[in-house]
RNA sequence: GCGCCCGUAGCUCAGUUGGACAGAGCAGCGGAUUUCUAAUCCGCUGGUCGGGGGUUCGAAUCCCUCCGGGCGCGCCA
């Protein structure tokens, strides 16, 4: 393969773009070749749909255009790939079978088995000894970079020229309140973007914009003046905090003396009073400990260093007043005598209205862009008539900070050539204070990984919040563009919305008493329900039998002490495994159920569906993974080999991937598409496309499994080939699920 | 009133941003197990893509209109 490995779709797209460019007489860069995965397997693997639309501009018949494209794409280097590596001895590998034109002018592309086989064969084996992941307690406080990718599946990071500096704003809970289902989607969807963009090689900063400033702190500070704060190490911290918050609130309403103390506390806090500040800090720290527990359980990458809440913009330094002043200076109201200027993108002006400082928005026709119920123009208020700032002000300040000040550490890393070093990590962002080789990667440092310095300001801002805040973000982005903090050619602004979680009644999910469902309780129930599902499976299992024996033990005097001890130990081990599996499956089911739907639509929460073994669910995918690993273990022990030994044999360069059976070929094609699927997710920010891919992959594997014996394959070459397919599938599932924030288990 | 989102099989949802006769899972019916983990696989049944009009080689997808549902709309976040 060429030095820069690209996805199959990219490879075909560039070939066809060149061919089309020659046919149409334009530059290849200006062509969209419209190469897509084929709608139906009968039409091949990919299809090019460009001929029909091109026919009109060329004033030719579509089929004629298609024929010319086919000629260009087929001749010379168009259809073959120059190979220079030793293993293939310079042979030319034909990429696709003779192209076919069908229907009105579709060009059907079928990859050759040889190409597919070699494309997959070039994926190096996974690193057998990945760096151990730090435990969460270490990671929560750490500012070290994330652990590197143990296995990139042969997918290189983007090259330096395309590296984005991305801020992902997600989760954003409120201090002293328990997270509820409303925070679930933001937290896990945002985390997927972080993972995928990091994997793609972009520089990513997570920002947890926590609600840690405001009037509610007055009540809490006053309350904790004569009450103990919840113990961070004792039980459910968040529940205790929230109970205190409620108590404080009701006291605020009934006790005038307390109320004035609370108001005084707010003033003191804002003035930097030391006692008030210490109390505030203690409350925040207690609350963060609660969040940390939930984040670890959810397997979310957020850490303490990612906390950059509302207080950041007004606590130690007033970052809001300068923002307001800059808006006022740069967006002055238009004076009446001004001629209406040409307004291609509309206009924003900053002026006082009814005592409040506001931003007003106008469209290209200079008409108000947003209107209220009475038809009057609708502003974004950035300073209340009493002089106080609001969330809009903080959001503007945060946006300015993120496009101008926030720091990214750039590592100048060239895309690695593949096969040079097997399975180790190429392009994790490394911080300058971390030193070289901080992650136990054993490869020679053949590629440049040294940090080159700090860059300020993001080139892409992603906000993950529910769809109801859409209007707010439209205003926010319009203001940012108008004032020049986010020039469209330099900064991409994306509000990633998602729908609500609904109950069976199709109304937003609530408890019977009408409250938001607490995230912690939701996860606890998920684990309990996963246990119930697993128990059914364990009925015929030895572990379950052991349970039975153990329960009957005191009645059965024949059971001697030694046997009892053995049973007890097995029971303990089995139970631990069972706990682990239930925890992993339960949390995975909740996360996956959320991610596998188009995030824009509301979704109906259903325990039975998310824990089902059939269909597009976490348990199905995890089971597929466990099943593959089981085959692999069986193959290894059957020959008295270790997993590592077997892997060495399976990934030996002499092994040729045979794709003779239809199920083998379908699986191979699917595996080859992981790369383009991840690329797609990185650009359209739709996690469910990766979910669909993984489900199809698992289904393809199941069909392969039913049809193609692996361990008992007819001959050794087939056995090794199929074991290779098994391992590649396991790795693709593991990587894909990991990008979705879901970890696999080796045995279920 | 204005703005945004949605309406696809009995149910829950996909549909690659305008491409081929609209696809899965569940439910229903019928098959496959001396297993490489059946927690699986295969087959069948099931549709006026909310209705109508338009744009073009081609529409579930884009435009208009109506019906039905959700959300948002000045000093909360």
């Amino acid at each position: 393969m060429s030095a820069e490995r690209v996805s199959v779709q990219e490879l075909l797209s560039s070939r066809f773009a060149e061919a089309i460019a020659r046919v149409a007489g334009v530059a290849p860069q200006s062509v969209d070749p419209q190469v897509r995965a084929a709608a139906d397997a009968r039409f091949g693997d990919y299809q090019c749909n460009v001929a029909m639309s091109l026919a009109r501009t060329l004033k030719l018949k579509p089929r004629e255009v298609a024929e010319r494209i086919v000629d260009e794409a087929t001749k010379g280097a168009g259809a073959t790939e120059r190979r220079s590596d030793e293993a293939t001895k310079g042979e030319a590998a034909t990429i696709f079978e003779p192209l076919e034109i069908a229907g009105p002018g579709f060009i059907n592309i079928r990859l050759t088995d040889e190409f597919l086989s070699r494309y997959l064969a070039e994926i190096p084996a996974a690193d057998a000894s990945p760096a151990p992941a730090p435990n969460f307690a270490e990671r929560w406080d750490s500012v070290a970079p994330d652990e590197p990718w143990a296995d990139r599946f042969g997918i290189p990071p983007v090259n330096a020229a395309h590296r984005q500096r991305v801020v992902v704003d997600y989760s954003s809970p409120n201090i002293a309140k328990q997270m509820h289902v409303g925070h679930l989607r933001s937290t896990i969807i945002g985390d997927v973007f972080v993972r995928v963009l990091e994997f793609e090689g972009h520089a990513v900063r997570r920002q947890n914009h926590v609600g840690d400033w405001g009037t509610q702190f007055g009540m809490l500070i006053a309350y904790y003046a004569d009450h103990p704060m919840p113990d961070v190490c004792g039980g459910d911290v968040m529940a205790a905090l929230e109970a205190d918050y409620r108590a404080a609130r009701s006291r605020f309403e009934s006790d005038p003396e307390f109320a004035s103390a609370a108001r005084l506390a707010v003033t003191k806090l804002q003035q930097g009073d030391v006692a008030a500040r210490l109390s505030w800090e203690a409350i925040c720290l207690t609350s963060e400990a609660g969040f940390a527990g939930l984040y670890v359980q959810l397997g979310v990458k957020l850490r303490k260093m990612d906390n950059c809440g509302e207080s950041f913009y007004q606590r130690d330094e007033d970052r809001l007043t300068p923002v307001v002043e800059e808006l006022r200076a740069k967006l002055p109201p238009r004076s009446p005598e001004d001629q209406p200027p040409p307004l291609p993108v509309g206009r924003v002006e900053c002026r006082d209205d009814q005592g409040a400082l506001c931003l007003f928005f106008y469209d290209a026709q200079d008409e108000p862009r947003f209107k209220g119920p009475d038809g009057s123009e609708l502003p974004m208020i950035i300073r209340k008539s009493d002089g106080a700032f609001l969330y809009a002000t903080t959001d503007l300040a945060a946006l300015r900070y993120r496009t101008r000040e926030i720091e990214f550490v750039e590592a100048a890393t060239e895309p690695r050539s593949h096969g040079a070093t097997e399975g180790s990590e190429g392009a994790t962002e490394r911080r300058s204070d971390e030193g070289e080789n901080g992650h136990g990667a054993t490869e020679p440092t053949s590629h440049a990984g040294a940090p080159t310095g700090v860059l300020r300001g993001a080139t892409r801002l992603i906000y993950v919040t529910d769809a109801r805040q859409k209007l707010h973000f439209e205003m926010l982005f319009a203001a940012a563009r108008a004032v020049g903090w986010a020039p469209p050619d330099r900064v991409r602004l994306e509000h990633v919305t998602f729908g609500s979680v609904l109950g069976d009644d199709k109304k937003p999910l609530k408890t019977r008493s009408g409250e938001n469902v607490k995230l912690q309780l939701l996860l606890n129930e998920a684990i309990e329900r996963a246990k119930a599902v697993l128990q059914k499976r364990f009925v015929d299992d030895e572990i379950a039998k052991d349970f039975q024996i153990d329960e009957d033990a005191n009645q059965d005097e024949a059971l001697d002490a030694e046997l009892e001890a053995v049973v007890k130990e097995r029971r303990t081990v089995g139970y631990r495994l069972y706990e682990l599996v239930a925890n992993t499956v339960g949390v995975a089911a909740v996360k996956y159920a959320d991610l596998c739907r188009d995030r824009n639509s509301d979704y109906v929460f259903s325990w039975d569906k998310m824990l089902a073994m059939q269909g597009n669910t976490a348990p199905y995918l995890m089971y597929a993974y466990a099943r593959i690993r089981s085959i692999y273990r069986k193959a290894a022990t059957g020959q008295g080999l270790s997993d590592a030994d077997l892997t060495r044999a399976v990934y030996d360069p002499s092994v040729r991937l045979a794709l003779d059976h239809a199920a083998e070929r379908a699986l191979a094609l699917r595996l080859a598409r992981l790369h383009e699927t991840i690329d797609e997710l990185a650009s359209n920010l739709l996690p469910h496309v990766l979910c669909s891919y993984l489900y199809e992959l698992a289904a393809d594997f199941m069909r392969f499994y039913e049809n193609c014996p692996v361990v008992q394959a007819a001959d050794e070459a087939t056995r090794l080939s199929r074991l290779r397919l098994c391992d590649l599938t396991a790795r693709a599932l593991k990587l894909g699920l990991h990008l979705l924030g879901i970890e696999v288990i080796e045995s279920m």
Side-chain angles (χ1 to χ4, degrees):
Chain A
M1 202 73 44
S2 49
E4 277 192 50
R5 182 183 176 86
V6 296
S7 69
V8 178
Q9 180 162 27
E10 249 178 292
L11 181 71
L12 293 172
S13 288
S14 61
R15 305 272 156 172
F16 275 80
E18 281 167 28
I20 294 160
R22 284 196 292 273
V23 169
V26 295
Q29 295 79 17
S30 63
V31 173
D32 174 10
Q34 295 190 45
V35 172
R36 313 274 150 80
D40 190 301
R42 291 197 310 272
F43 305 140
D45 302 327
Y46 289 83
Q47 59 185 50
C48 170
N49 301 334
V50 83
M52 286 82 79
S53 52
L54 196 61
R56 195 198 336 240
T57 50
L58 292 183
K59 299 202 166 85
L60 291 168
K61 287 184 175 154
R63 288 191 70 102
E64 202 173 316
V65 175
E67 275 167 34
R68 292 190 188 192
I69 294 171
V70 166
D71 285 347
E72 288 293 341
T74 307
K75 77 180 167 196
T80 61
E81 218 181 347
R82 286 180 295 275
R83 306 181 60 86
S84 54
D85 48 307
E86 268 306 297
T88 52
K89 295 172 185 151
E91 290 171 55
T94 305
I95 300 174
F96 40 75
E97 303 286 351
L99 298 167
E100 287 170 13
I101 299 169
F106 296 104
I107 301 171
N108 293 336
I109 308 165
R110 182 177 297 275
L111 301 171
T112 62
D113 289 358
E114 187 196 12
F115 168 80
L116 208 45
S117 171
R118 289 191 181 180
Y119 186 83
L120 291 179
E122 283 165 12
I123 297 171
D127 188 350
S129 54
N135 69 43
F136 189 81
E138 288 164 5
R139 191 163 68 181
W140 175 252
D141 283 320
S142 165
V143 293
D146 292 316
E147 62 273 26
W149 299 95
D151 181 10
R152 296 194 60 95
F153 202 71
I155 301 170
V158 297
N159 58 41
H162 294 119
R163 183 171 292 128
Q164 305 165 355
R165 300 194 297 277
V166 192
V167 165
V168 184
D169 178 319
Y170 68 112
S171 195
S172 306
N174 291 315
I175 294 290
K177 285 188 194 161
Q178 294 187 72
M179 280 197 260
H180 53 79
V181 283
H183 297 104
L184 177 69
R185 304 202 80 186
S186 174
T187 305
I188 67 186
I189 293 169
D191 212 49
V192 173
F193 301 153
V194 169
R195 288 162 182 266
V196 170
L197 293 168
E198 280 181 350
F199 178 82
E200 292 269 299
H202 302 301
V204 180
R205 288 291 310 267
R206 303 169 285 257
Q207 290 281 282
N208 196 355
H209 197 73
V210 295
D212 59 359
W213 202 253
T215 50
Q216 74 272 26
F217 282 97
M219 287 184 276
L220 281 166
I221 291 169
Y223 185 81
Y224 286 128
D226 52 9
H227 289 81
M229 214 169 273
D231 182 358
V232 176
C233 302
D236 192 337
V237 185
M238 292 312 296
L241 259 184
E242 191 170 76
D244 289 346
Y245 176 69
R246 281 167 206 257
R249 197 184 185 90
S250 68
R251 194 166 153 198
F252 182 86
E253 281 156 12
S254 61
D255 180 350
E257 207 171 307
F258 180 82
S260 63
R263 287 195 195 92
L264 182 63
V266 175
T267 316
K268 279 183 169 177
L269 179 62
Q270 282 168 347
Q271 287 167 346
D273 175 86
V274 174
R277 183 61 67 84
L278 279 173
S279 180
W280 170 83
E281 216 159 275
I283 295 165
C284 290
L285 284 172
T286 307
S287 200
E288 279 166 13
F291 295 148
L294 206 47
Y295 288 148
V296 67
Q297 197 176 3
L298 274 172
V300 162
K301 296 188 86 162
L302 284 165
R303 309 182 216 168
K304 189 174 175 57
M305 67 170 285
D306 305 318
N307 278 348
C308 187
E310 294 166 347
S311 68
F312 174 77
Y313 301 96
Q314 43 196 315
R315 184 186 52 207
D316 299 321
E317 176 190 346
D318 178 6
R319 292 171 178 268
L320 298 184
T321 306
V323 160
V324 168
E325 289 311 318
E326 189 175 340
L327 288 165
R328 212 215 282 267
K330 289 189 177 166
L331 302 172
R334 198 179 52 180
S335 45
E337 62 269 23
D338 282 351
Q339 287 291 83
L343 299 161
V345 291
R347 187 170 63 86
V348 180
E349 68 178 50
C350 180
R351 63 168 195 261
D352 281 303
D353 191 80
Q354 299 169 33
L357 189 62
C358 302
L359 297 176
F360 286 89
F361 303 84
Y362 302 94
D363 63 17
Q365 281 71 46
D366 215 25
E367 294 295 318
R369 202 171 139 191
F370 307 108
K371 288 177 185 170
D374 57 357
S376 64
E377 51 186 331
L378 186 72
M380 173 182 242
I381 297 176
I382 59 173
R383 195 179 61 203
K384 299 202 283 183
S385 48
D386 66 1
F389 297 121
L390 339 73
Y391 77 111
T393 330
T394 311
D395 274 348
L396 283 160
L399 189 148
R400 189 183 184 281
Y401 169 75
R402 291 167 187 179
T403 54
R404 304 205 153 184
E405 293 177 52
I406 197 167
E407 293 181 353
F408 291 87
V409 177
E410 284 283 280
T413 310
E414 291 306 311
R416 296 182 319 115
S417 58
H418 287 269
T421 52
E422 272 198 344
S424 51
E425 166 58 18
T428 319
E429 315 311 20
R430 293 187 185 194
R431 286 171 187 280
S432 48
D433 57 359
E434 187 59 16
E436 280 293 328
N437 298 333
H439 296 285
T442 51
E443 61 174 320
T445 52
S446 56
H447 64 282
T452 52
V454 169
L455 287 172
R456 288 179 179 276
T459 58
R460 187 177 186 186
L461 297 189
I462 297 172
Y463 292 83
V464 188
T465 85
D466 67 280
R468 289 176 306 188
Q469 297 191 43
K470 207 171 173 196
L471 177 62
H472 170 66
F473 279 96
E474 271 179 51
M475 290 177 160
L476 181 69
F477 292 169
R481 298 284 192 215
V483 77
W485 295 337
D489 59 339
R490 200 175 66 77
V491 183
R492 191 163 153 188
L493 300 174
E494 286 163 291
H495 180 215
V496 175
T497 59
F498 52 83
S500 319
V501 181
L502 307 179
D504 292 334
D505 55 0
K506 301 226 172 178
K507 287 179 180 163
L509 193 63
K510 301 271 170 165
T511 62
R512 252 174 264 132
S513 54
E515 292 184 326
N516 283 321
V517 176
K518 304 292 182 255
L519 202 40
Q520 186 63 64
L521 298 177
L522 189 86
L523 290 183
N524 293 349
E525 184 167 355
I527 292 162
E528 287 311 311
R529 283 179 184 264
K531 279 183 187 169
V533 171
L534 289 173
Q535 249 157 15
K536 278 185 208 152
R537 168 152 166 79
F538 279 145
V539 162
D540 298 324
D541 248 41
E542 281 185 88
I543 294 163
K545 283 180 199 154
D546 289 348
F547 268 116
Q548 199 59 44
I549 292 166
D550 198 44
E551 276 160 22
D552 297 343
N554 46 1
Q555 294 155 352
D556 187 353
E557 298 186 14
L559 195 71
D560 64 37
E562 198 181 343
L563 180 56
E564 195 178 346
V566 170
V567 165
K568 211 162 217 168
E569 192 193 323
R570 293 194 55 174
R571 197 197 79 133
T572 313
V573 171
Y575 190 73
R576 274 199 204 123
L577 248 178
Y578 161 81
E579 289 265 292
L580 173 75
V581 174
N583 270 275
T584 313
V585 171
V587 174
V590 169
K591 294 180 79 170
Y592 191 85
D594 199 321
L595 292 169
C596 75
R597 292 162 163 85
D598 182 330
R599 33 157 250 266
N600 286 307
S601 47
D602 296 347
Y603 94 89
V604 179
F605 194 90
S606 162
W607 289 115
D608 290 342
K609 291 208 167 76
M610 73 177 69
L611 285 165
M613 270 313 300
Q614 279 126 336
N616 193 0
T617 67
Y620 179 81
L621 298 181
M622 295 168 87
Y623 174 67
Y625 177 82
R627 216 170 168 184
I628 300 168
R629 298 299 302 150
S630 168
I631 295 173
Y632 212 71
R633 280 193 301 272
K634 186 153 283 186
T637 51
Q639 289 187 305
L641 295 172
S642 69
D643 266 23
D645 290 337
L646 181 62
T647 299
R648 213 163 293 130
V650 164
Y651 282 89
D652 189 274
S654 66
V655 174
R656 190 184 157 275
L657 279 174
L659 307 178
D660 303 320
H661 195 287
E664 288 176 309
R665 194 186 184 283
L667 180 59
L669 177 62
R670 189 75 63 187
L671 286 167
R673 284 184 180 160
L674 176 60
H675 187 165
E676 64 206 41
T677 305
I678 295 172
D679 287 351
E680 190 185 345
L681 170 49
S683 78
N684 69 12
L685 303 181
L686 293 172
H688 79 279
V689 303
L690 181 54
C691 296
S692 301
Y693 169 85
L694 293 174
Y695 174 61
E696 295 298 336
L697 173 63
D700 282 333
F701 175 78
M702 293 293 192
R703 281 188 276 273
F704 161 79
Y705 176 91
E706 299 284 331
N707 289 292
C708 305
V710 178
V711 178
Q712 270 99 41
D715 55 84
E716 184 63 8
T718 310
R719 208 176 79 96
L720 287 171
S721 168
R722 288 180 177 171
L723 278 168
R724 180 85 158 256
L725 282 177
C726 283
D727 196 55
L728 287 170
T729 307
R731 290 168 61 193
L733 284 170
K734 186 176 185 173
L735 174 58
L737 286 170
H738 183 72
L739 290 172
L740 295 172
I742 294 167
E743 300 309 320
V744 291
I745 31 191
E746 297 298 306
S747 174
M748 280 175 82

